[in-house]
Amino acid sequence: MSRSRQPPLVTGISPNEGIPWTKVTIRGENLGTGPADLIGLTICGHNCLLTAEWMSASKIVCRVGQAKNDKGDIIVTTKSGGRGTSTVSFKLLRPEKIGILDQSAVWVDEMNYYDMRTDRNKGIPPLSLRPANPLGIEIEKGKFPQKDLETLFPGMSADFTSENFSAAWYLIENHSSASFEQLKMAITHLKRQANKKSEGSLAYVKGGLSTFFEAQDALSAIHQKLEADGTEKVEGSMTQKLENVLNRASNTADTLFQEVLGRKDKADSTRNALNVLQRFKFLFNLPLSIERNIQKGDYDVVINDYEKAKSLFGKTEVQVFKKYYAEVETRIEALRELLLEKLLETPSTLHDQKRYIRHLSDLHAPGDPAWQCIGAQHRWILQLMHGCREGCMRDLKGPLGLHGTSLDLDAELRASAPSHLGQMASLKRGSSFQPGRDDAWRCKTPHRVAFVEKLTKLVLSQLPNFWKLWISYVNGSLFSETAEKSGHSERSKNVRQRQNEFKRMIQEVMQCLAKLVRGALLPLGAAEGGGRQHGGWEGKAELPGQWLAHIIQTLRLTYDSLAALEIPSDLLQTIQDLVLDLRVRCVVVTLQHTAEDIKRLAEKEDWVVDSEGLTSLPCRFERCVLLSLQSLRGVLECKPGEASVFQHPKTQEEVCQLSINIMQGFLYCLEQLSTKPDADVDTAHLSVDVSSPDLFGSVHEDFGLTSEQRLLIVLSNCCYLERHTFLNIAEHFEKHNFQGIERITQVSMASLKDLDQRLFESYIELKADPIVGSLEPGIYAGYFDWRDCLPPTGVRNYLKEALVNIIAVHAEVFTVSRDLVPRVLSRVVEAVSEELSRLMQCVSSFSRNGALQARLEICTLRDTVAAHLTLESRSSFKQALEALPQLSSGADRKLLEELLSRVKNGMHLQLACFQAAPPAVKTQSLQAVLR
């Protein structure tokens, strides 16, 4: 048979994908001449001719049926054109299975349900259906034996409709080989299904809107057809008859089943009552449940149950419910009291406090439990601080304090404090300053230091939690979200009102700390009035500066730890004031103890003279002062926020006077050494520095130190103090920011010069007076008469004796210090020349020989000590020569010169010491001669 038209050609389909029974519109060419011409239509291999509706030669409407293939062509077959082709394809989507409780706009056919418990298929009605694959991924069964799974999960089930459903069992049994990505896809599928259910009826109506329209059209067509068929009959329409028949059937059924239906209604009423009792079983069991949970400490469970009961029955009018709800309120009130009692108990951790406060806020406790907790914590901290002091006082007065080694606290402090003198014993002048690591003073902590350490540790252990509790109170983190939202405005008002009160609490704690420390460490005058109340340490000695410095460091660390909590600096100012007072006290005490140590330096004098005529005493003194200043370095240093120790004029004046006392104390020590009786000088340990010539060794070996020798040594030390030590100490004072350095230097130098002058005059008096006193008896020995004497042949013995005595003074001074030789000999020569001038002026007349003899002796003495002449001594020699008659002839002058030359040559060895730079060998020879 020949065809008159071209084969059909499908060029488009809308939509191009969908689930089975999706309505699609097919467009193309030569799709038939009419409905009768259309004899075949397949989509994805499924015959859709029954649902096809021919519209035109280019348009056909149909519904897609169940197909085996997921994607395929659209083939149209007509009588006129035969089997056609397609340039497009349709993708068939897998329909989502409808659950037993899911709404559907179309009829759901019954399907076989696989019962996992009986392992066989059952045909069940649609209402009992449940999804076979809730995760939407491929199911793989049979890899794990059922018995092993039952052993692994006892009492559980893999049936997701069971109350004992185990998700792990279900995954192992059905999806054991699923990858992590597949599990993520399963989660997405579950979320999508849940979202569909949450959309409700609106989504259901939207999805089945076309179905509703089609059903409406079908019902309207049936109604119209029935109306048309029944209008010609007398009895009325068919629908009217049907309605009458149904009404009669209903009445007959009611008559037959009246009694049965009555019993059913009664059973329903009973069942409803039982359901109500079962439904409100929660309220009836709640009082007992609350008691049990309180005993177990499950306060969160109690609060949740209470909130649920309050929301359900808080405003009920049913008497039974009111009665049981009143029982619940009674037990909740008891719980509030219990939680408040636990909240106010001390000690308590911050975690527990926050937990109790949060529970009380959830239970809507009256008042402000959080603020009550803050007040209780504040009182507890103050109680602990006072208890710490009382405990330390009991320990101090207990058996160990009264009868043990800690009885004499003064001796303990002295024994434990580091001794500057002990560290100085082996130091020599000129060596570098290296403080010794003497930690013996830490071996036994004084009670007051231990008390302060314990007190600060207590504050640091309690105050941070106290501060954090306040911060949590301010920012609302103490309260649950529900309580925070309900009471936000009221709580903000309470915080503003109580902010000043909390500041007062912090200040009270800081003031208590300061008063307790002041009472323990500072004198009553510096304890700001509360010393007696917080003291009790009055009978104890002053702590050494090292312990005060240790306490200052402890308080500084305490301040830093509290500042790290972001506590405002104005609340911590009390600690800063306390640290400043302790720093001032530490400086004062250290300087006082240094002055006392300086006074005892005389006991450490070993009289070892070095090459410069110095002993170790000036070095000891300087090192002692430097050690004291070194110990004050950290105290004098100003940490951030701290004021200078010397900011108050009174402190400056006190420190300046103490510094002067240290200087003058050492001068007093030197004066004591210079005036010490000979019998009190211990020479058993005396030696001479190996670096200096042993010019003084014979004195040490045979006779010990004389008062003149001690005066010389002290004078030499005084000279070194003036040139070096006092200036070095003033420089170190300045480096440590001491005030009044100029005054300290002036007063100290004035005292030093006064002591030096007095000691020098004492030595000159001891040495010059015997020489001066021996001149007149020596001149007139043997009834010598200037008017009747023999011609001169040389100087007489008195002058030789005077020269030898002066040489002995030179040797003694030179042995100690070369620098003192000019000063001492100049004064001795002045005294001798003055006495010689007086004696010459007292002579009434001279003979020629007497005048020549006198001129020879005066010139010999003058020329011998020429290197040590001063203006006064030159004037005295001039006056002595002017008192003599002038030489009348050249023979006399020549004789005088010869005699002078002879005397000098005869005593050149003895007179060599008076040269400006005497050779060392001659000095040693002179020392041998003097022996």
Side-chain angles (χ1 to χ4, degrees), residues 10 48 59 135 138 148 157 272 292 318 410-411 462 480 575 601 643 665 690 695 828:
V10 177
C48 301
K59 179 179 179 182
L135 299 183
E138 185 177 359
D148 294 347
S157 172
N272 290 336
R292 291 176 178 175
V318 180
D410 300 352
Q462 298 294 330
S480 63
I575 297 183
L601 279 178
V690 295
L695 304 181
V828 173

Side-chain angles (χ1 to χ4, degrees), residues 418 423 434-442 627:
Q423 296 183 10
Q434 296 180 349
R437 297 178 59 85
D438 185 6
D439 293 335
W441 63 287
R442 293 186 181 274
L627 281 174

Side-chain angles (χ1 to χ4, degrees), residues 139 228 239 241 386 548 632 656 698 775:
I139 296 178
T239 56
K241 291 181 179 180
H386 288 289
L548 290 176
L632 293 175
C656 180
S698 61
L775 288 179

